[in-house]
Amino acid sequence: MFCSSSHLLLHRCFSTYTIPHSTSIAVRSSSSLQEIPKSTPESKEQGGPTSLLYSSTPFPPIKAAKRVVLVRHGQSTWNEEGRIQGSSNFSVLTQKGEAQAETSRQMLADDAFDVCFSSPLIRSKRTAEIIWDTRKEEIITEYDLREIDLYSFQGLLKHEGKAKFGVAFRQWQIDAANFNIDGRYPVRELWARARSCWTKILSHESKSVLVVAHNAVNQALVATAIGLGTEYFRILLQSNCGVSVLDFTPQADGGPPYICLNRLNQGLSLLVPKKLCPSLTRAVDWTPSSPLAGGSSGGRKTNKRIILVCHGSQANTEVSFPNLGDQPMNMLGVIQAQKTAELLLDLTVNCIITSSKVASVETANAISRVQEAADCLGADCVPRYVDMKQMRNLDVEKVLGKSKQEAMEVPQQPGWINGFEDGVVMTALWDQSGKAWESLLEELSDESEEEKIVVVVGHPAVHIALIGRCLNLSKEWMGSFHLDAGSISVLDFPDGPGRRGVVRCINYTAHLGRWSIPITRSTSDDEEF
């Protein structure tokens, strides 16, 4: 198993491969202005992306490992009003937005960034200034980091946009990739612009980069980095002052870098469950949004959710990689499990589904105990029952054990999934995750419960595959994601379990406090992490 700090360092190179029943294509993002086909049942059965991925110019090679940290600006006055901002420059940070930026500054205060790129818009520039604080290096303003251009929509309240533009506004909500206004295609333009930004960022002589921008452009930066097209708009969420981290590793032959999404939409957790301390609600509200906060996508409320919980660190983390023993958690793992249980305290979890392996069962039991006691803080309360099940298709240790790869010197290093060069393990892991995913969606589809939260506990490897399943990708994408022990990832289904999910966060570890993997780290070649 890959235990305590399985820090996936940049995996998949963007090379050419074949999607079933398709032609050989380069795994890159789509900035084409062609119409994006909608997903079909056939595309889901094939296990490939829901739209064609069009070739684009490869990312420039890099000489050394580079980490890029993306931050969305804090809450703005137009965010608060529900007004469509786009690339307009009239809104400023609210008091809450300034506080969110200050929290992000504290989170990133010890990080030795080499450079900061910022959008030129006031709300992002101010956020960047707060986070950058007393650093001496100048902030580089990059015009292409501005928010999506929404033309005639900009400045309207959302209900005004709906009343004035009708059909166009509806298309903006449900089919943004093909949304057309004033003769322009804003999302397609944004994807092309994000791709241009990456060329500038990666060409800069730096190893640790901070980028402060906006919701839509940060979504586009994440998507284009890992090769996803415009149909993934609003699928990879970005909260106010949420942090996403991308790792870039050079290829030995000088080709485009390996790219890994290390985490998505992280915040600094100052969260205290409301059931324990209701008086702290206002203070909590000023921190970057919790990944568990309720939300919507394109105006659609979410009432079905899967929370992927990676089991805590295990007792023996020094054995050959991958650690395949059925090990119990060590003390760090026990703390991680308890912290996760506390994070989930304000949610009413309907069902916990766990791997049968010891560390997963221990983590699930910790969550169950807290959930069942959550409503019993008063004298007359009765514990509620939380359904807990074991699922064999979440047990991937035997699959990983089939690998012929030699033990790695540093088991915690990122990039281990791409070490299975024979493809047998990757295929077996992917196939098994498909069976698990079908069972989870069936569990979530129970029509007797209008709202349902299912917590899934298992090995990080199976959760990486499940994220790929949620996004309707193929096994080649598994190397694009990273999960740490004790982390959570949140998948929402605003259109129901039968449709593609929305990823609210990936590899969220802020709830672990001092026991978490840092959001950023030095990328010095000689550093042992």
Side-chain angles (χ1 to χ4, degrees):
M1 296 183 185
F2 64 91
C3 43
S4 54
S5 52
S6 48
H7 207 67
L8 269 163
L9 192 126
L10 319 112
H11 311 346
R12 176 177 54 74
C13 167
F14 288 110
S15 57
T16 300
Y17 74 94
T18 302
I19 291 179
H21 310 296
S22 178
T23 55
S24 183
I25 60 173
V27 181
R28 300 304 307 163
S29 63
S30 167
S31 58
S32 168
L33 296 188
Q34 303 175 51
E35 182 169 346
I36 305 299
K38 294 182 180 179
S39 60
T40 64
E42 289 77 17
S43 68
K44 292 188 177 184
E45 288 174 5
Q46 291 171 6
T50 56
S51 77
L52 297 176
L53 291 174
Y54 307 99
S55 298
S56 66
T57 306
F59 278 29
I62 57 177
K63 298 178 181 178
K66 186 185 293 277
R67 170 160 284 192
V68 179
V69 177
L70 307 177
V71 182
R72 181 188 174 189
H73 64 77
Q75 185 197 62
S76 70
T77 49
W78 282 18
N79 285 152
E80 188 176 40
E81 295 171 17
R83 197 174 293 277
I84 301 171
Q85 296 183 111
S87 57
S88 65
N89 200 21
F90 299 105
S91 65
V92 298
L93 294 187
T94 62
Q95 186 178 5
K96 176 179 176 178
E98 296 257 350
Q100 289 172 330
E102 171 59 23
T103 300
S104 294
R105 183 197 67 78
Q106 295 173 25
M107 177 168 56
L108 302 172
D110 295 331
D111 293 287
F113 291 109
D114 301 315
V115 65
C116 175
F117 288 88
S118 171
S119 159
L121 304 185
I122 295 171
R123 55 194 184 272
S124 283
K125 284 185 67 177
R126 177 56 183 154
T127 302
E129 290 168 357
I130 293 172
I131 296 173
W132 205 238
D133 197 25
T134 58
R135 293 179 175 90
K136 297 180 180 179
E137 295 80 6
E138 184 178 359
I139 297 174
I140 299 175
T141 300
E142 173 52 57
Y143 182 63
D144 280 346
L145 286 173
R146 71 188 184 280
E147 182 58 300
I148 186 172
D149 297 316
L150 289 177
Y151 306 104
S152 294
F153 270 17
Q154 294 181 174
L156 299 176
L157 293 170
K158 292 176 183 177
H159 69 85
E160 294 173 339
K162 183 177 181 179
K164 185 174 182 179
F165 290 94
V167 175
F169 188 83
R170 181 60 176 162
Q171 186 178 39
W172 165 240
Q173 289 185 310
I174 66 174
D175 186 21
N178 293 313
F179 165 62
N180 181 310
I181 188 169
D182 300 336
R184 311 297 289 266
Y185 290 87
V187 176
R188 302 182 202 176
E189 293 175 352
L190 178 66
W191 248 243
R193 181 150 50 87
R195 181 59 187 79
S196 172
C197 285
W198 277 125
T199 299
K200 298 170 186 176
I201 292 169
L202 295 179
S203 298
H204 191 275
E205 291 293 330
S206 55
K207 292 185 177 181
S208 184
V209 181
L210 175 65
V211 176
V212 183
H214 306 265
N215 179 14
V217 72
N218 281 9
Q219 288 184 52
L221 287 169
V222 171
T224 54
I226 61 176
L228 303 180
T230 50
E231 74 279 18
Y232 285 87
F233 182 65
R234 293 202 189 99
I235 298 298
L236 304 168
L237 297 191
Q238 300 286 307
S239 303
N240 286 121
C241 278
V243 175
S244 299
V245 180
L246 287 142
D247 285 330
F248 298 78
T249 294
Q251 284 200 68
D253 61 5
Y258 295 93
I259 304 174
C260 174
L261 177 59
N262 188 282
R263 63 191 70 211
L264 178 78
N265 209 21
Q266 173 93 301
L268 178 60
S269 184
L270 300 179
L271 302 178
V272 176
K274 295 176 185 177
K275 290 178 181 177
L276 293 183
C277 193
S279 63
L280 287 184
T281 299
R282 184 170 181 271
V284 167
D285 189 46
W286 279 18
T287 65
S289 299
S290 163
L292 303 180
S296 62
S297 177
R300 300 157 297 167
K301 183 181 178 181
T302 294
N303 56 14
K304 302 284 187 178
R305 170 176 286 182
I306 291 176
I307 300 176
L308 304 178
V309 176
C310 293
H311 63 61
S313 300
Q314 293 172 275
N316 186 357
T317 62
E318 303 299 327
V319 298
S320 297
F321 183 82
N323 176 12
L324 300 175
D326 192 6
Q327 301 282 338
M329 293 190 293
N330 57 21
M331 184 54 66
L332 174 60
V334 172
I335 293 172
Q336 291 170 333
Q338 185 62 30
K339 291 287 185 180
T340 298
E342 292 171 5
L343 180 69
L344 302 178
L345 181 58
D346 283 330
L347 299 180
T348 300
V349 173
N350 303 91
C351 180
I352 301 172
I353 299 177
T354 178
S355 160
S356 65
K357 300 302 181 182
V358 174
S360 294
V361 172
E362 289 176 336
T363 301
N365 283 334
I367 296 170
S368 177
R369 285 193 298 269
V370 172
Q371 280 289 312
E372 292 180 350
D375 295 326
C376 296
L377 301 179
D380 300 324
C381 292
V382 178
R384 69 180 182 87
Y385 172 73
V386 178
D387 190 19
M388 189 159 71
K389 309 173 183 177
Q390 291 188 7
M391 182 183 291
R392 293 291 179 181
N393 282 325
L394 293 174
D395 297 349
V396 297
E397 288 77 3
K398 184 178 292 187
V399 171
L400 300 179
K402 296 176 182 178
S403 172
K404 297 178 181 179
Q405 77 172 28
E406 296 180 359
M408 297 173 65
E409 292 182 3
V410 186
Q412 299 89 350
Q413 280 295 324
W416 67 273
I417 268 190
N418 275 2
F420 301 117
E421 297 178 353
D422 56 12
V424 173
V425 171
M426 291 282 280
T427 299
L429 173 60
W430 183 252
D431 291 346
Q432 186 167 317
S433 74
K435 297 174 184 177
W437 186 245
E438 290 178 4
S439 298
L440 293 174
L441 293 183
E442 183 178 350
E443 179 71 35
L444 202 63
S445 299
D446 185 354
E447 296 181 359
S448 65
E449 297 174 285
E450 183 178 349
E451 297 186 8
K452 188 161 189 177
I453 297 175
V454 176
V455 170
V456 182
V457 185
H459 190 290
V462 73
H463 287 343
I464 287 172
L466 292 176
I467 290 170
R469 291 285 177 181
C470 176
L471 294 173
N472 198 23
L473 301 175
S474 60
K475 67 177 183 290
E476 286 78 8
W477 261 268
M478 284 196 290
S480 297
F481 303 100
H482 168 61
L483 296 176
D484 290 310
S487 69
I488 70 165
S489 301
V490 179
L491 313 176
D492 284 341
F493 297 85
D495 296 317
R499 302 291 296 276
R500 184 173 59 197
V502 171
V503 182
R504 186 162 290 277
C505 69
I506 293 175
N507 198 31
Y508 188 91
T509 58
H511 62 290
L512 302 180
R514 61 182 294 185
W515 294 280
S516 69
I517 299 296
I519 270 208
T520 60
R521 61 173 173 81
S522 168
T523 52
S524 301
D525 295 337
D526 59 352
E527 181 186 18
E528 182 178 348
F529 177 70

